[in-house]
Amino acid sequence: MDGHLYNLKLEFMNNNINEKAAKRIAIVADDSRRTELIEWSYFNKDILEQHEFTAISETADILEGTLKVPVKKLFTRYTGGYEQLAGLIEANKIDILFFFAEPAVEKEKDNDLKKLLVLAANHNLLIACNEITTELLMRTVLKKETDAASNRGYRGLIRQTISFINQFATKPSMAAM
């Protein structure tokens, strides 16, 4: 078995892949899918705001507006944004790549997106290109980290609630008087 593949398998088996507090997420969104991006990011705000984001120009503005977190803003597609994103992928500075994109009519744009997909696949990034894979990543990789953090807070909340209830349990009720 290939050494890299074996190590990756062990990493998954030991559940160590999610130890990093924040994932570095890049989002590519077409103009025609911006409404979907706004709705998705707003609906998943509690999960997403705990991670680091990189996006091309207008997409970064949308994410900053809905998530209220800073987003690393790249150039527009026409001024080198896809090349900047490719450089971040090559430098292993992106963990997950979400595409909110339509198959492009423009051949040039389609080729740019294909290059990003191939590069992301070659660097073993998690990639979501449609609603199903996006939801799968949200529920597995990203939500697990949020759940782990909220469980610690949840246990504390339970202790506080039990303590609060016990205060009243030891006092006689008003109805009994």
Side-chain angles (χ1 to χ4, degrees):
M1 183 180 268
D2 181 293
H4 176 67
L5 186 58
Y6 179 74
N7 290 336
L8 186 61
K9 183 178 178 184
L10 284 177
E11 197 173 352
F12 273 109
M13 288 172 56
N14 293 328
N15 253 349
N16 292 332
I17 199 150
N18 291 326
E19 283 185 0
K20 196 184 305 180
K23 295 290 182 205
R24 299 165 300 178
I25 301 170
I27 297 184
V28 175
D30 282 346
D31 293 340
S32 64
R33 304 285 297 274
R34 297 266 163 84
T35 301
E36 182 182 341
L37 173 65
I38 292 167
E39 291 169 355
W40 173 79
S41 60
Y42 185 77
F43 179 77
N44 293 294
K45 182 179 179 185
D46 292 343
I47 297 169
L48 295 172
E49 66 189 0
Q50 299 174 32
H51 301 281
E52 299 171 13
F53 288 91
T54 300
I56 293 170
S57 194
E58 296 86 6
T59 303
D61 293 337
I62 289 170
L63 291 170
E64 284 181 339
T66 56
L67 300 177
K68 306 294 187 224
V69 296
V71 176
K72 181 175 182 168
K73 187 187 286 192
L74 305 178
F75 296 136
T76 66
R77 175 175 76 89
Y78 302 106
T79 59
Y82 285 170
E83 288 83 7
Q84 283 181 301
L85 182 54
L88 292 171
I89 291 170
E90 287 175 335
N92 295 314
K93 294 187 177 186
I94 301 294
D95 299 312
I96 300 173
L97 180 58
F98 285 104
F99 278 97
F100 288 82
E102 301 286 342
V105 175
E106 307 167 43
K107 184 125 178 92
E108 176 188 323
K109 182 178 179 183
D110 196 37
N111 286 335
D112 290 342
L113 292 176
K114 285 178 185 174
K115 286 177 188 174
L116 283 176
L117 279 171
V118 168
L119 188 61
N122 287 339
H123 282 82
N124 291 319
L125 266 67
L126 296 169
I127 306 167
C129 298
N130 59 34
E131 190 175 336
I132 292 171
T133 55
T134 298
E135 188 62 30
L136 181 64
L137 285 177
M138 292 300 297
R139 288 186 182 192
T140 56
V141 177
L142 299 178
K143 184 112 170 78
K144 278 184 183 176
E145 293 169 4
T146 305
D147 287 347
S150 64
N151 281 343
R152 288 188 294 274
Y154 184 68
R155 287 186 191 112
L157 178 62
I158 289 173
R159 279 190 227 109
Q160 288 176 335
T161 304
I162 290 171
S163 174
F164 179 76
I165 291 170
N166 283 337
Q167 290 175 3
F168 293 102
T170 57
K171 295 181 183 177
S173 70
M174 297 296 279
M177 296 184 151

